[in-house]
Each structure stands twice: as structure tokens, then as C-alpha cells.
Amino acid sequence: MDYDVLILGAGAAGLYCAFSAGQRGLRVLVLESANKPGKKILMSGGGRCNFTNLEVGPANYLSANPHFCKSALARYRPEHFIALVDKHGIAYHEKELGQLFCDDSSKQILQMLLDECAAAGVRLLTSAAAESVDAIDGGYRVQTAQGRYTASKLVVASGGLSIPTLGGSDFGYRLARQLGHSVLATRAGLVPLTLSGKPLEQWNDLSGLALPVEASAGRMSFRNQLLITHRGLSGPAILQISNYWQPGEPLRIDLFPQGEAESWLAEQQQARPASELRTVLGDLFPKRFAQRFAELHTPANKLMRQLIPAERKAIAAALHAWPISPNGTEGYRTAEVTLGGVDTRELSSTSFESKRAPGLHFIGEVVDVTGWLGGYNFHWAWASASACATAL
Ligand code: FDA
């Protein structure tokens, strides 16, 4: 065999697995289809890479098999990645909710991974898309435009479908099926939602405005900022809930999650009887949003004291359940992650090795484990890669 390990994909999971295996003395070759490694790392976290979260646990992940992620997450904690970041002298800060970002640039995280790979003797080939894979006696053979390579172990770290221009591809899913694995239905995750028709016309000129909300679907709720866009809704609250919502299902957006809107409105009637609703709502929301909401939900220019209880009740109801129904998502073009993927029931949760094909491993986003927004997806890449590398 040419190598001990071939790794398909030089993204977060592939690079982490490569240097960890290299440190164990294994001969490792990473094959990357793009002309550069780690494109998603560079684009991540608005250019500052939200590389992990101080509070990581299985509850932060979605999977058809929710127990699968437990072992890897228990063994690889945020402190492990933070120690690596510290070793490389990369300055970072907590933004909010335990989310750790580089002070300077996500380039530092990529450089750190590449430096670790170089130190561990890993060979990395770019512009070397894996075109076909064959199981051979005692290992695997991978065909690329740059040549054919063999190894006793094959690690698939080729990611999901999100953002094709950053390397999103279905290669890992096709390969999984070819080698006897089930692949669960995929869909775009951490993705903006789209509006159409009247709701779009009513709100899209307010694009760029952000407001605090609680977005809920099923039993999940996220309280954070919502951002109005030209096409619909985005911002952290919407991206988070997009993992749990599907078109056609109810989505609730509470514009007054901090309390009971009807009694708050009654208090405002007492305190500011001569004010208009838009002025009162201006304390909660950006002025243009408050004005539009008031236009749509109050009988023309009534003052607070003129609102009858039924009107107050209707306004409160609209605040707690903003009547706006997205018709879909922006899809893989802008999604941060892909939900679904290689069925974890056919993988070992400790080594990420296939139960179907010995020596074959799947790690990172290609696997049916998807994290919340907030550093959880990179943490999954590191944790799954670390567990896999230990077992190679
Ligand atoms: P990843 O997609 O990183 O790498 C897969 C690699 O395989 C790619 O380089 C691809 O080119 C290559 N490949 C595909 N097919 C191949 C083939 N046939 N042969 C060879 N190579 C092939 N998460 C987070 O925790 N914090 C954050 O701040 C962000 N921010 C963020 C921003 C944006 C814009 C996006 C799109 C995503 C994020 N994410 C994130 C999510 C995070 O980027 C994602 O979960 C990880 O990159 C997944 O790591 P993987 O290594 O599994 O796949």
C-alpha cells in the first residue's frame, strides 16, 4: 500500500484527523478536490471562525440516532481544542452564549491545522478530487486526476452539500451508498427562510433590520436576533430554528418573549395614553419595524387610550405569534450545514468505522449529526476526527 491512511477532504474534519493520525506515526495522504484546503474554515464565523463552544453536549446536535454523538463528544471537550489554539498563540474571545471566535482571522485556525499536518509529516494534495474508490485486498484504491493511491484505511471527510462554491458536494453520500451504506435524506440546515407574496411585499423593504425574538418549531425554541432580508428572514434565531422547521409546518415567532404582551400594552395605555402604538413599540423594536407593525395591526392612527380591549388583545396576539409564514428556505446555496447524511447506525460511535466495510471511516458533516449554530459544527468535526484518528 502507498499509505496507511487516505483522507478524502481537507476541511475541518479531514485536516484534524490527518495530523492526529500522522502524530501516531501513520503515513497519511489527504486528497482535496478544491485548489486550496479549508475554504469553509476561512469563510466561517464572518471571517473569525467560531471554532468551538464552551458548553458542548449531545443536546446541541440533531441526528436520527441521538446517542451516537455522545462518546466522541465526551472524549473530546472544548478544552482540547482551546489547548491547541493556545499552543499556537491564537487570540480568541467569547462572543456570546459560549461561542469562541478568533480575535483576528479564521486564517489562523486553518494555518494552525496545516502547520500541525506539516509537523506530523502529512502529505496534502489539492486539485485532487477523488473520482472513484474501489475496495481492494486489504484496503482501498482512490482514483484522482493526479493519480491513483492505495491505503489500508480510508477516511471520508468530504462534507455535505451546503455551499457548492466552497466545496459542498454529494461525493461522500454516493461513495457511502456504493460501499453498502444507507444515507438518510438530506436538507439544508442553518439556513435563511424565504417569504413570498404579501408577507414579502409587506416586510422586504425593511431588509437589514434586526429584532429580538423567540422562534419556535415543534418543541424547540431559540431566543436571539431575527434579521429581515430581501428574500425573507435570517439572523441567529431563524438559522437555529431552520434546523427544526420544514416548509408547511408551523413556525412561531414571538416578538414579545419577555412577558405577557396584553398586560404590557394595558400598562402602556395607562402610562402613555396620548401616544400612538408605533411610538410605544419603538421602545422594543427599530422604529421602522415598529411603524410598519403598527400600521398593519392598529385601526388608523388610534392613540393608546383609544384602543378597545379586543384591539389590544389582537395586537398582543400578533406580537406573540407574528403572522408571517415562510414558504421555504434559501437552500444549499446559503445553508451553513447539511442535515441528514450517512446513517450512524452503520458506524461505530467510538472509531467511526463502517460496520459494512472494514477500514472505511466517515467523519464530520457527511455523517448524520448536525449541530446548532455557535461553534457546534466545527466541534463535531474535531471530535469525530479525533475519535477516528485514535482508532486508525
Ligand atoms: P468541509 O465541508 O469543511 O470539508 C469537506 C472538504 O472535502 C472540502 O474541502 C471539499 O472541497 C472536499 N471534497 C468534497 N468532495 C471531494 C472529493 N470528491 N474529493 C476530495 N475532496 C472533496 N461551523 C461552526 O462550528 N462555526 C462557524 O463559525 C461556522 N461558520 C460557517 C460559515 C459558512 C459560510 C459555512 C458554509 C459553514 C459554517 N460552519 C460553521 C459549518 C462548518 O463549516 C462545517 O460544519 C464544517 O466545515 C464541516 O467540516 P467537514 O470537514 O466535515 O466538511
Side-chain angles (χ1 to χ4, degrees):
M1 298 286 171
D2 305 328
Y3 291 88
D4 296 313
V5 189
L6 287 177
I7 299 181
L8 307 185
L15 291 174
Y16 199 103
C17 186
F19 78 72
S20 305
Q23 285 170 352
R24 296 186 49 238
L26 299 173
R27 294 168 302 146
V28 182
L29 172 66
V30 184
L31 298 169
E32 166 57 49
S33 54
N35 57 351
K36 285 186 218 149
K39 286 193 177 180
K40 276 191 193 165
I41 298 173
L42 293 177
M43 295 304 290
S44 67
R48 292 221 160 90
C49 188
N50 178 193
F51 52 79
T52 189
N53 194 294
L54 292 172
E55 299 290 334
V56 175
N60 305 116
Y61 293 86
L62 295 87
S63 172
N65 178 14
H67 299 296
F68 180 80
C69 64
K70 288 183 178 172
S71 166
L73 294 178
R75 286 190 287 154
Y76 192 89
R77 306 297 309 150
E79 307 78 273
H80 292 110
F81 198 78
I82 292 168
L84 188 61
V85 167
D86 284 339
K87 178 181 144 196
H88 286 256
I90 299 172
Y92 62 90
H93 60 279
E94 179 185 350
K95 194 174 164 200
E96 55 165 0
L97 306 168
Q99 301 167 5
L100 300 188
F101 285 76
C102 297
D103 287 356
D104 295 332
S105 167
S106 44
K107 283 183 198 161
Q108 296 171 292
I109 297 294
L110 178 58
Q111 196 54 52
M112 174 187 87
L113 297 170
L114 293 174
D115 288 349
E116 289 288 337
C117 282
V122 169
R123 185 170 173 217
L124 167 63
L125 280 184
T126 52
S127 303
E131 290 163 356
S132 64
V133 173
D134 293 301
I136 55 172
D137 201 15
Y140 293 88
R141 182 174 55 216
V142 178
Q143 180 70 49
T144 75
Q146 298 197 33
R148 208 187 244 191
Y149 305 93
T150 57
S152 46
K153 304 281 171 76
L154 180 68
V155 179
V156 183
S158 54
L161 297 166
S162 49
I163 319 212
T165 50
L166 296 178
S169 99
D170 69 349
F171 177 80
Y173 308 128
R174 280 190 281 123
L175 180 60
R177 286 194 193 96
Q178 177 204 323
L179 296 171
H181 277 264
S182 315
V183 176
L184 301 177
T186 55
R187 65 187 173 88
L190 301 181
V191 63
L193 304 182
T194 51
L195 298 171
S196 64
K198 207 162 174 197
L200 184 65
E201 286 163 27
Q202 282 171 342
W203 296 103
N204 75 346
D205 64 317
L206 301 192
S207 165
L209 291 188
L211 37 143
V213 304
E214 184 173 274
S216 313
R219 273 183 275 151
M220 284 310 295
S221 293
F222 292 93
R223 203 187 274 199
N224 210 316
Q225 297 289 308
L226 171 150
L227 178 73
I228 299 178
T229 72
H230 287 295
R231 303 186 64 198
L233 307 174
S234 187
I238 292 298
L239 297 180
Q240 295 282 31
I241 206 66
S242 73
N243 275 354
Y244 292 88
W245 176 82
Q246 299 216 48
E249 290 179 0
L251 171 74
R252 185 181 166 107
I253 299 174
D254 189 344
L255 300 173
F256 196 83
Q258 64 271 44
E260 214 277 294
E262 197 177 347
S263 42
W264 178 77
L265 285 167
E267 283 162 25
Q268 299 302 313
Q269 282 189 295
Q270 292 288 322
R272 307 158 80 175
S275 296
E276 289 180 32
L277 179 68
R278 62 176 174 159
T279 315
V280 168
L281 291 181
D283 290 352
L284 301 177
F285 308 122
K287 295 232 165 339
R288 289 165 64 215
F289 183 89
Q291 170 149 5
R292 182 68 47 84
F293 188 92
E295 278 163 21
L296 293 169
H297 296 284
T298 29
N301 301 327
K302 274 195 177 180
L303 301 179
M304 288 302 284
R305 75 172 126 79
Q306 296 169 320
L307 292 178
I308 59 171
E311 289 165 344
R312 200 173 61 206
K313 205 178 179 70
I315 296 163
L319 282 172
H320 282 306
W322 187 22
I324 189 164
S325 293
N327 66 337
T329 78
E330 288 190 5
Y332 295 116
R333 193 180 58 82
T334 59
E336 284 199 12
V337 289
T338 304
L339 291 147
V342 175
D343 191 341
T344 59
R345 286 166 288 212
E346 296 164 356
L347 301 177
S348 154
S349 64
T350 50
S351 64
F352 290 73
E353 185 171 9
S354 159
K355 293 178 185 170
R356 301 261 181 276
L360 173 68
H361 299 248
F362 292 91
I363 57 171
E365 194 177 321
V366 72
V367 169
D368 170 38
V369 175
T370 306
W372 290 4
L373 186 78
Y376 301 102
N377 285 296
F378 278 138
H379 193 84
W380 176 246
W382 322 134
S384 57
S386 168
C388 172
T390 313
L392 288 170

